[in-house]
Amino acid sequence: MTTSTPLALYGPDFAADPAGHYERLRVHGPVAPVELAPGVRAQLVIDYQAALDLLRDTYTFSKDPRGWQTTVPQDSPILPMLAYRPTALFSDGDVHARYRAAITDSLGLIEPHVLQRQVSTAAQRLIRDFAATGHADLMTQYARQLPLHVFNSWFGVPEEDSERLVNGIAGMMNSAGNAAAAYADLVAVVTRLVADRRARPRRDLISWFIAHPAGLENDEVIRQITLTMSAGHEPSTNLIGNALLHMLTDPRYAGSLYGGAMTAHEAINEVLWQDPPIANFSAHYPRYDTVFHGRQLRAGELVLVSYAAANLQSRPPVGHDLPRSGDNAHLAWAAGPHGCPARQPALLIAITAIEQLTSHLTDMELTCHPSELLWRPGPFHRALTHLPVRFSPLTGL
């Protein structure tokens, strides 16, 4: 592989072995050429220190993709994740601060004890649906459904729109041919919800976004809510799924399902280091031609951060204690001014979901070899398609 040959981060080969792909990229140094979709190239930061430097450098790099996206075919499946919208994700400076304040202030109104109760209630309801059967697909029947139940409480999503919400978020993450249609359907659901709350406000996130002192215009409200939904549901789903797989396959957690010493909190923290649910993102664009950690970058060129590759390079050696999630150094939440504003709710959802499941179904085991599990293709996420398990049937829940 020459210095100009990009490595594809899409398709089943990458989904099956992302760590092997990251290792092959290291021949290029801290920044490597990749292809995100057919004909769509980018530079991927795979070095830990370089990633931090990029995430914190608002002088050299912008988050606004509008110049870059004119160079990409408008039907590219990558655009639903990367094309400009008036949101905190694609803004800089005062505009970013205004949008982010609306998000963080609204999320801050969700009380942790209320959230934990909502997650516990939803988890128990889902577990009851399959506990007596002795088997389940923990992705489709649990990890994908639980955040949705919580979101329905936060956003007041009608039950008939729940499946559209999940499909819209997952479709844009997959970056497949239907990504644009999936995102458009997600926006349509949110648009109708916003119109309803303007007429009939409630005590929910949509109403709080509308009423926020930032004075967001209607499209700004829709886009901030769409961002919050997509940035919350898919990563939470994959964090739960990846952590459950970790606990089911790592011998150190064998006792955890029986009340052992290794906890859900520790499993989640290890997954955030080793297999983060969002593996590659944080799109940036140089404001001018520059050299960054030895790589020549053109103004407006797409530069992404690989949280997964940077973490693999910098994580403590196996057998060493990892830092606790609250004070860790991994990059799964990104860093700098665009670091994830919802890390505490996300952790609470994932920890509670896993604790509820493992406290009821204490003898779960995979029904296939881990190598037989399939991962959803796409350059951005690390997402299982299924997680089949068996356990002793449990009645009377």
Side-chain angles (χ1 to χ4, degrees):
M1 184 169 60
T2 68
T3 56
S4 61
T5 304
L7 189 64
L9 299 190
Y10 57 92
D13 290 344
F14 174 69
D17 183 26
H21 281 66
Y22 300 141
E23 195 58 37
R24 288 195 290 277
L25 286 172
R26 295 200 190 281
V27 68
H28 298 289
V31 187
V34 296
E35 191 173 56
L36 305 179
V40 181
R41 297 188 174 192
Q43 300 292 336
L44 187 69
V45 178
I46 56 176
D47 173 83
Y48 183 87
Q49 186 57 54
L52 281 177
D53 291 344
L54 175 72
L55 292 166
R56 293 169 175 169
D57 185 354
T58 59
Y59 177 80
T60 306
F61 296 95
S62 170
K63 294 286 288 179
D64 190 328
R66 282 176 284 190
W68 165 81
Q69 72 188 56
T70 62
T71 68
V72 180
Q74 292 308 292
D75 60 352
S76 172
I78 217 73
L79 283 181
M81 284 293 290
L82 296 177
Y84 175 80
R85 271 91 69 180
T87 72
L89 188 61
F90 303 109
S91 305
D92 301 307
D94 292 342
V95 175
H96 168 255
R98 174 171 167 261
Y99 290 152
R100 188 177 174 94
I103 294 172
T104 57
D105 292 349
S106 297
L107 290 175
L109 295 173
I110 300 172
E111 299 180 39
H113 71 278
V114 174
L115 174 58
Q116 187 172 37
R117 185 172 66 246
Q118 291 172 336
V119 177
S120 297
T121 300
Q124 291 165 17
R125 185 184 310 127
L126 292 169
I127 294 168
R128 278 197 299 270
D129 288 343
F130 56 74
T133 69
H135 59 86
D137 179 348
L138 295 183
M139 289 305 298
T140 61
Q141 293 178 265
Y142 193 69
R144 197 164 295 146
Q145 298 298 322
L146 191 144
L148 179 61
H149 283 270
V150 176
F151 273 33
N152 286 353
S153 298
W154 286 5
F155 294 101
V157 180
E159 187 174 343
E160 62 268 22
D161 285 334
S162 295
E163 196 67 24
R164 290 178 66 190
L165 188 88
V166 173
N167 291 340
I169 294 169
M172 59 184 285
M173 286 280 184
N174 290 343
S175 299
N178 66 341
Y183 178 72
D185 201 41
L186 175 61
V187 171
V189 172
V190 175
T191 299
R192 191 168 63 254
L193 290 171
V194 170
D196 177 77
R197 293 311 185 278
R198 286 197 180 277
R200 290 173 293 277
R202 303 183 191 176
R203 287 186 55 80
D204 63 14
L205 276 175
I206 294 178
S207 301
W208 294 338
F209 271 99
I210 292 171
H212 191 272
L216 301 180
E217 296 179 359
N218 199 62
D219 188 56
E220 291 177 320
V221 171
I222 292 167
R223 301 297 178 169
Q224 263 37 250
I225 292 169
T226 304
L227 170 63
T228 305
M229 286 181 170
S230 57
H233 183 275
E234 183 76 6
S236 295
T237 290
N238 298 335
L239 181 55
I240 294 168
N242 295 358
L244 284 170
L245 174 62
H246 187 52
M247 295 180 76
L248 288 163
T249 55
D250 189 321
R252 294 173 304 132
Y253 288 87
S256 298
L257 304 182
Y258 306 92
M262 300 293 280
T263 67
H265 196 166
E266 290 165 313
I268 287 169
N269 193 36
E270 291 194 333
V271 162
L272 289 170
W273 273 100
Q274 300 169 13
D275 229 0
I278 299 298
N280 307 296
F281 206 50
S282 286
H284 287 73
Y285 309 88
R287 298 178 188 272
Y288 46 83
D289 291 350
T290 188
V291 176
F292 179 76
H293 283 261
R295 171 71 62 173
Q296 180 71 46
L297 301 177
R298 302 184 311 275
E301 183 175 11
L302 172 58
V303 185
L304 296 175
V305 172
S306 178
Y307 317 130
N311 284 351
L312 286 171
Q313 177 199 55
S314 64
R315 73 178 302 277
V318 174
H320 287 60
D321 289 337
L322 291 172
R324 297 293 291 183
S325 284
D327 56 1
N328 54 39
H330 65 68
L331 295 179
W333 307 116
H338 287 267
C340 176
R343 65 187 68 186
Q344 293 309 318
L347 282 172
L348 183 57
I349 291 171
I351 291 169
T352 305
I354 294 173
E355 287 178 345
Q356 286 291 325
L357 186 68
T358 56
S359 67
H360 286 100
L361 308 178
T362 58
D363 60 349
M364 286 187 298
E365 60 181 12
L366 285 174
T367 60
C368 66
H369 191 273
S371 63
E372 298 176 45
L373 295 170
L374 297 178
W375 298 84
R376 284 166 43 205
F380 303 117
H381 57 204
R382 182 63 170 157
L384 284 163
T385 58
H386 300 283
L387 186 58
V389 296
R390 56 177 167 249
F391 46 83
S392 298
L394 187 63
T395 58
L397 285 179

